[in-house]
Amino acid sequence: MPGNLDRLSRMYSEETWRVYAFLDQSLDPRSMDMLYDVAGEYLRPGSVILDAGCRDAQHLIRLAEAHDVVGVGVDPVEVHIERARAAVVAAGLADRIEVFLGVMQELPYPDEHFDFVWCRDVIEGVDELEAGLHEVARVLKPTGRMLAYTVFATDLLEPKEEAMLNRLLGSVADNLDEGNVEAAFESAGMAVERKDLIGTEWREYAEERTHPAARALLRLSRLRRQREAVIRTHGQDIYDHVQANLHWETYILLGKLSSVLYVLTPRRG
Ligand SMILES: C[S@@+](CC[C@H](N)C(=O)[O-])C[C@H]1O[C@@H](n2cnc3c(N)ncnc32)[C@H](O)[C@@H]1O
């Protein structure tokens, strides 16, 4: 058995530094923009699209501008819808984009109405996911596609960390489980046509450029150092939410959360 000194000289040998040097090379990660490229493969001028969980409609606007499509956005949060409406008007797209307050579980549209559904970063927080997916399958044309980007918990996420995300960021425990979500696709009648593991790639892209996760960590340390003042001014609930949210990017970079892109088609018959 090697003694501790032998182990130390192996650990701090040239071999180790060669690995660090190797790790300093970019793996040319893909960026978030790949989602637009994938969507573009399915969109034609005049396509009718739904953004399920549109928030401020920034993605819907970008898709409408790039592909000359007609769009509908739905989101259950009033302030998101107000911002989305203002953004649509500011973009001069009020004749092509409509947004409404609601949930993907209840879409006031006839069967087979949409050519394409964009659902980015929403599945994590949808109560009754299966009902939501059923409804999406109902309103999609048989030739239609749903692009779903979501994040799953990996084995590296500790139970206490997952509980924090669920309690304070509104994620639904079952929806952070890849097997559960794929089973929900299946029972909602949605077939997986394409599955692309993104993992840490978008985060690596941002790290290598302008948006390091350290920015969130710096905010986190400043938040904790001013805990009492922040709670007094903004409330315990806001403090807790912000604290949890500032972990998200780092958890992705650490591989505790891993993102996946699906393209789904409604199964008929
Ligand atoms: C993390 S945000 C992502 C927003 C946007 N899709 C994006 O990628 O920027 C999740 C959004 O899903 C919305 N949401 C939550 N439950 C929903 C539901 N049942 N139906 C539709 N949207 C929902 C939230 O209000 C929020 O705007």
Side-chain angles (χ1 to χ4, degrees), residues 1-13 16:
M1 267 247 305
N4 201 31
L5 280 182
D6 290 339
R7 278 200 299 271
L8 284 176
S9 42
R10 170 71 180 158
M11 276 185 249
Y12 293 101
S13 69
T16 302

Side-chain angles (χ1 to χ4, degrees), residues 164-165 169 213-224 238-251:
M164 175 181 75
L165 300 182
L169 299 187
R215 203 169 76 175
L217 294 178
L218 183 59
R219 284 177 162 180
L220 185 61
S221 59
R222 288 177 180 154
L223 177 81
R224 287 179 172 155
I238 297 294
Y239 176 91
D240 291 342
H241 167 78
V242 170
Q243 179 173 228
N245 211 14
L246 289 172
H247 286 75
W248 189 263
E249 291 171 350
T250 300
Y251 281 1

Side-chain angles (χ1 to χ4, degrees), residues 228-240:
E228 303 309 327
V230 174
I231 291 173
R232 211 173 29 252
T233 312
H234 303 283
Q236 177 82 50
D237 56 341
I238 297 294
Y239 176 91
D240 291 342

Side-chain angles (χ1 to χ4, degrees), residues 51-56 58-59 74-77 80 102-105 118-122 124-127:
D51 184 345
C54 66
R55 191 151 59 184
D56 56 7
Q58 57 162 304
H59 300 290
V74 59
D75 201 285
V77 176
H80 292 166
V103 288
M104 65 191 271
Q105 296 91 314
W118 168 275
C119 186
R120 180 190 177 281
D121 216 5
V122 175
E124 301 97 313
V126 176
D127 279 324

Side-chain angles (χ1 to χ4, degrees), residues 179-196:
N180 281 344
V181 171
E182 292 187 0
F185 290 152
E186 175 73 22
S187 58
M190 302 286 279
V192 176
E193 183 179 80
R194 188 161 160 183
K195 177 176 176 181
D196 191 337

Side-chain angles (χ1 to χ4, degrees), residues 27-40:
L27 298 176
D28 293 326
R30 295 170 294 177
S31 79
M32 204 221 89
D33 280 355
M34 65 168 283
L35 277 196
Y36 295 110
D37 297 337
V38 173

